[in-house]
Every structure is written in structure tokens, then in C-alpha cells.
Amino acid sequence: MSTASSFYITTPIYYPSDVPHIGHGYTTVAVDALARWHRQAGDDTWMLTGTDEHGQKMMRAAAANGATPQEWVDKLVTESWFPVLETLDVANDDFIRTTQPRHEERVKEFVQAIYDRGYIYAGEFEALYCVGCEEFKTEAEVLPGTGEFEGLKVCAIHSKPLELLQEKNYFFKLSEFQDRLLELYRSVPDFVRPDSARNEVISFVKNGLKDLSISRSTFDWGITVPWDESHVIYVWVDALLNYATAVGFGTDEEQFARRWPAYHVVGKDILRFHAVIWPAMLMAAGVEVPRGVFAHGWLLVGGEKMSKSKLTGIAPTEITDVFGSDAYRFYFLSAIAFGQDGSFSWEDLSARYQAELANGFGNLASRTTAMISRYFDGVVPEQGEPTEADIHIQRVVARAAGDADAAMERFRPDEAIDAIWTIVDALNGYITENEPWALAKDDAQRARLGTVLYTAAEGLRALAVLLSPFMPQATAKLWDALGIDGALDAQPIRDAGMWGQLPAGTTVGALAPLFPRVEQPA
Ligand code: MSP
């Protein structure tokens, strides 16, 4: 059994044949922020990401580049996919690649186990396949081609022609799981979130499930079906199992019991695989289903789902080179309601960077630390008898911390940031109203000046802790400047709203601008 405080969270595993873009980065930073939050709260946290390396798409990409699939995938993962994690400052605990033996061996055992339990049979198959999605398509998901694809049937997502495949396949008896899946969605109402995703999944399952083709015999870049070496396991069955094999399924039962079940965060494009097929596979094997699946929306560029194949792709470094990784993380997690689509634009990113980060949070941090240096020789003053205005700030901090934690529990980083930002706004207003620079001119107001600056600095202490999962770099700098004993990552985030943790007498250091002015990209 898993313990109550275990928090295991996953990103989808990415197709390395695609060039990493800000859409992939969006999922990854959301999962990283959720994991960092839980880690900072003291939960037994594990964050997994990785790459989905088998399948026809990868095989063709390798052939087009004159390499073997393994050579090609090794190159892509090392040169393009590992570096993204550094670019975005991601603190994943593990990275799984589906070509690793720890994965391949366990996948065979899993598939053999559900075969032995009678959930797999052999049959004939003919259907339209999209290599981009690595998925067979129903008529409803097919559009007539236009332009160069006139007269052909194209995939509604990729706008590329579909291929008619006829094969002997092995099938998974997905149709037998309709009732059990509906019962799962009923008894665990937040199994699929948000509600729009849950409703879509329920109506899809209610319409009836077809058995799923789970093997391919026309190419060999995959994991061999254990009882029939002429077939490889369908790439999605192979890929979904990463979530279990990475935490010791079939090898390290202790680790598996400690971590499993997982929360999966996925783009809405791959919701059905996670909320329908994956739990059914686990039910067939007699393994506990995931704790939940959260589907977020798409990043749109110029109104379309951003993707490399449609040439709207933007590399994460295009943003981080100019604005830094904290701004990337903050922007995507605050500007888009998690669960809905959101449009990316450079103008919006620049405007928010300037207003919220540079002028809002950054300026609050610089002026507070600078005034403590100037008026108190860099030593945090005592807090005197609080006025209504001071108590208001204390309440804002307490409420923000509670609301942010509740929002993170609901998988809503955007709402958590909104809650935390009430502290930034309240403190900036408080400083403007209390005019410490005016108080500093009057010796009789010395104690009052101390209280005002204590209040601002203690608010910054709470902000550093609460924002650390979103902006690890800026908050680490701020924490250093505040000079508090103890590491930032050792501060329990669920206690961050308790007032008075910053000891008077602490020496505050200099703070370089957290969000410097940037050269606008052309
Ligand atoms: N390999 C499969 C997933 C297997 S998981 C067992 C796959 N890979 S993918 O690289 O094509 O996409 C993975 C994820 O990237 C999507 O689910 C989504 O989370 C993210 N995104 C890709 N494009 C995106 C946008 N334009 N916007 C937001 N997220 C996007 O599917």
C-alpha cells in the first residue's frame, strides 16, 4: 500500500523525433512546479519524465537520416531532450527511456501476464493509421485532404495523409472494461480532471469501446511480443507502461509499493490513452489504477495548436535566452488557466515580464532590501506594535499561503500564483501608503519605520518560500539576500503563511535586480 504522503507525478514521455518546443516545455514545467511544491511540503515526492523511443515515426526518421533507430534516438535524446530539462530548470527524480532494458523486459512480462489472463487474442485488421499520432483513426477523426493532399484522407490533428494498414494483429479486449471504467469515473470523481475532460472521457466510454490492436508486424522497431517474435508491441502500450516500469514494477516491489499509484499530467490530445486504455490495461493485469489524470490545454500560436510539423514551433531556448527560465515557468503557469487552451505571444510575455516580474515582485524585493540597508545598516529591525495595516498584511499572507496550497492540490498552478500574487500587490500598496522614505526623515518615527520594513521583509520571506516551486532561481537569490539561517528548500511550504518567521537582527545582503531589463526580441 502507498503511504498517504506519497506523491508520484509524471509527464508524458516525449517523442524524441520531434524537436522540443514550448508546448512540451509547458507540460514539463507544470509537472515540475507541482512536484517541487509537494517536495517542499515534505511529501514523499517523485517526478518522472522521459522519452518514447519506439514506433514507426522514429524508425522512419532514423532511416531518413541514414542511421539505425537506436543510433538516431541516442543522438536526439542526448543532444535535444536532456538539455531541455536544464534550460527549464527541471528537478526530475528520474528520466526513463523506453529502449532501456529496465523497461523492455518488464513490458514483455506485463503483456505476457494479460495474455495469460485471457485479455489478448489474434485477429485480422484493416484501418487508417496516422504515423504522427501513432494511432489508428476512426472515420470521425479523418478529414478530406486539401491542396497537395486533395483526394486523400488526412489526420484531423496533423493534416497529413493517413495510411491504410492491413495486418494480422493481436488485440486487447478493451471492450470488456466499459462497465469497470464507468464505475471508476463514478466512484473516484476526480480521476479525470478538469470536468470538461472528465465529461469527454465518460461520453466516449459510454458510446462503447472497441478492442485495441496492440501489436504490429510490418516493422520491427519495438519490443517483441513474447509469444510471437514476428510482432512488436504497439508503441502506446509500450509507452504507457513507462509509468510503472520506472518505479520498479516487476523488479523492485518495495519501490513500486512506495510510489505507485501515480498522477499523470498530459495534454488533452492524449487524454483517452491515459484515462481509458491505461487504467483498463492495469485492471486486466490486476494492478491498481492511477490516482488521477489531469489534462491541460494546448498552447496556440496564431490560433493553431503549436507544433513543429505545422512550422509554428518555438524552441524553449528562444524564450529562456532572453527572459530566463524563471520567467518562462512563471509566464506559462500564470497566464494560462491550467486545463484550458492558451495563446502564446511575445507581446504578452514581454508585458507580463515587465509588469509582474520586474515592476511587481522584483521591485518589491529590491526596494525592501535596499531600505533595510540604508536605514538599518542591513539588519532586519524589530517589529513594533502592529497597526491595522500591518495586521492586514499578515492576514493576506496567511490566506494566500492556504489558498495556494489548496490550488496546488487541485492541480491549478495558475490559481496558486494568483493567490500568492495578492501578497506582492498588497505589499507594494503597503509600502506606497506607509512611505518608509518619509518616516526615515523623522526620528520620532524610527520604531514605526522598523515595523514597516519588518513587515515588508517578512512578506518577502513568505514570497520566497511560496514562489520557489515556480521560480527556483530568483527565489534562491532573494533567500540568500534575506540571510535567513537554513536552506530555502528546507522551509515547509505549508507553514509559509505563519507570521514572524524572519528573526529581527538578521543581516540582509545586497540584491541584484531579480528580473533585469531585457532587450526586446526582434
Ligand atoms: N509519446 C507520446 C506520449 C506517450 S505518454 C505514455 C506523445 N508525445 S508528444 O511528444 O507528441 O507529446 C507529448 C505531450 O507534449 C502532449 O501530451 C502535451 O502534453 C505536450 N504538447 C505537445 N504539443 C503541445 C502544445 N502545442 N501545447 C501544449 N502541450 C503540447 O504524445
Side-chain angles (χ1 to χ4, degrees):
M1 281 301 289
S2 53
T3 58
S5 65
S6 170
F7 184 78
Y8 171 34
I9 187 166
T10 67
T11 72
I13 51 172
Y14 301 100
Y15 289 129
S17 52
D18 294 338
V19 179
H21 59 57
I22 57 176
H24 305 120
Y26 177 52
T27 314
T28 305
V29 297
V31 169
D32 184 53
L34 286 157
R36 283 179 186 262
W37 185 279
H38 282 268
R39 215 178 275 127
Q40 185 93 26
D43 295 340
D44 187 17
T45 302
W46 196 252
M47 174 190 163
L48 176 71
T49 187
T51 39
D52 184 356
E53 306 190 355
H54 293 122
Q56 211 162 343
K57 181 152 58 171
M58 178 54 70
M59 206 183 71
R60 287 189 187 169
N65 287 281
T68 67
Q70 190 68 59
E71 284 165 0
W72 190 241
V73 76
D74 286 348
K75 179 180 153 68
L76 294 173
V77 171
T78 323
E79 290 178 5
S80 306
W81 286 87
F82 287 153
V84 183
L85 300 172
E86 288 207 8
T87 301
L88 301 177
D89 206 357
V90 175
N92 53 306
D93 294 290
D94 194 5
F95 188 103
I96 187 157
R97 302 182 51 184
T98 54
T99 52
Q100 289 168 334
R102 65 166 169 164
H103 175 74
E104 295 191 338
E105 292 311 311
R106 300 292 88 71
V107 169
K108 284 187 194 171
E109 286 167 18
F110 183 96
V111 172
Q112 181 73 54
I114 58 175
Y115 181 69
D116 294 343
R117 285 167 156 245
Y119 289 110
I120 292 178
Y121 63 93
E124 285 294 327
F125 197 55
E126 180 182 291
L128 293 167
Y129 194 80
C130 170
V131 178
C133 297
E134 294 281 14
E135 189 182 8
F136 285 105
K137 297 288 172 179
T138 60
E139 281 301 327
E141 299 163 311
V142 171
L143 293 175
T146 53
E148 62 175 316
F149 302 133
E150 187 79 49
L152 299 173
K153 291 181 170 176
V154 302
C155 165
I157 294 173
H158 287 87
S159 314
K160 295 246 172 84
L162 299 160
E163 300 175 23
L164 186 67
L165 298 183
Q166 279 169 303
E167 290 179 27
K168 174 194 157 194
N169 272 186
Y170 289 100
F171 286 84
F172 170 53
K173 293 183 182 169
L174 182 61
S175 58
E176 287 194 6
F177 291 88
Q178 181 177 15
D179 292 344
R180 287 180 66 185
L181 286 167
L182 290 172
E183 176 53 24
L184 169 66
Y185 311 140
R186 197 194 58 76
S187 61
V188 187
D190 59 4
F191 182 76
V192 184
R193 282 183 281 184
D195 277 349
S196 52
R198 172 182 149 83
N199 294 340
E200 186 211 302
V201 165
I202 292 177
S203 73
F204 174 75
V205 174
K206 276 193 176 152
N207 271 335
L209 295 171
K210 290 209 182 80
D211 290 347
L212 177 76
S213 154
I214 58 143
S215 75
R216 304 293 306 280
S217 59
T218 49
F219 66 94
D220 63 359
W221 181 236
I223 302 174
T224 313
V225 170
W227 62 89
D228 182 346
E229 301 226 321
S230 64
H231 284 244
V232 293
I233 295 166
Y234 174 42
V235 64
W236 266 100
V237 169
D238 163 355
L240 287 163
L241 278 162
N242 89 86
Y243 303 128
T245 61
V247 289
F249 173 77
T251 46
D252 183 346
E253 288 309 325
E254 202 181 314
Q255 199 207 3
F256 189 68
R258 177 174 170 187
R259 303 290 176 209
W260 192 256
Y263 285 108
H264 303 305
V265 174
V266 300
K268 64 181 185 182
D269 46 337
I270 56 173
L271 173 63
R272 288 181 196 170
F273 288 103
H274 286 81
V276 181
I277 295 173
W278 177 224
M281 282 166 59
L282 291 163
M283 286 170 180
V287 179
E288 216 178 327
V289 296
R291 274 175 137 184
V293 179
F294 192 100
H296 66 69
W298 285 342
L299 290 191
L300 309 174
V301 174
E304 270 201 64
K305 180 187 179 211
M306 198 204 49
S307 80
K308 203 70 198 172
S309 54
K310 290 189 175 165
L311 299 178
T312 48
I314 299 170
T317 47
E318 290 179 55
I319 292 177
T320 57
D321 286 350
V322 180
F323 295 94
S325 59
D326 278 358
Y328 181 109
R329 300 166 62 98
F330 172 82
Y331 172 69
F332 286 110
L333 297 182
S334 64
I336 302 171
F338 203 56
Q340 291 172 28
D341 291 351
S343 292
F344 168 80
S345 79
W346 288 101
E347 292 74 18
D348 190 33
L349 167 61
S350 297
R352 284 176 192 264
Y353 179 87
Q354 199 50 43
E356 286 159 33
L357 295 181
N359 300 343
F361 176 43
N363 191 31
L364 172 68
S366 328
R367 59 182 180 156
T368 301
T369 51
M371 286 190 284
I372 292 176
S373 301
R374 188 171 324 132
Y375 304 137
F376 290 92
D377 290 329
V379 178
V380 174
E382 292 282 344
Q383 174 180 221
E385 196 54 42
T387 63
E388 252 322 295
D390 309 338
I391 291 170
H392 174 68
I393 295 292
Q394 300 179 13
R395 290 205 185 109
V396 168
V397 170
R399 191 179 319 121
D403 288 353
D405 190 46
M408 291 305 261
E409 287 297 325
R410 295 193 302 274
F411 286 72
R412 289 298 301 266
D414 54 312
E415 292 183 347
I417 293 175
D418 278 352
I420 299 166
W421 229 254
T422 61
I423 306 178
V424 175
D425 293 338
L427 279 178
N428 274 324
Y430 172 85
I431 291 177
T432 308
E433 277 160 31
N434 286 278
E435 300 186 308
W437 46 88
L439 296 173
K441 290 186 186 137
D442 180 357
D443 279 348
Q445 296 287 355
R446 185 80 185 148
R448 181 67 200 142
L449 174 64
T451 302
V452 169
L453 290 183
Y454 181 88
T455 302
E458 168 62 359
L460 279 181
R461 191 266 322 146
L463 281 173
V465 178
L466 291 168
L467 289 174
S468 64
F470 304 102
M471 296 190 277
Q473 295 189 2
T475 51
K477 282 187 204 151
L478 174 59
W479 191 257
D480 268 0
L482 288 175
I484 303 170
D485 274 348
L488 176 54
D489 64 8
Q491 310 302 310
I493 210 162
R494 292 193 182 113
D495 297 338
M498 274 167 41
W499 192 256
Q501 298 182 52
L502 172 66
T506 304
T507 305
V508 171
L511 183 64
L514 294 177
F515 302 99
R517 185 163 287 283
V518 295
E519 289 301 320
Q520 299 296 326

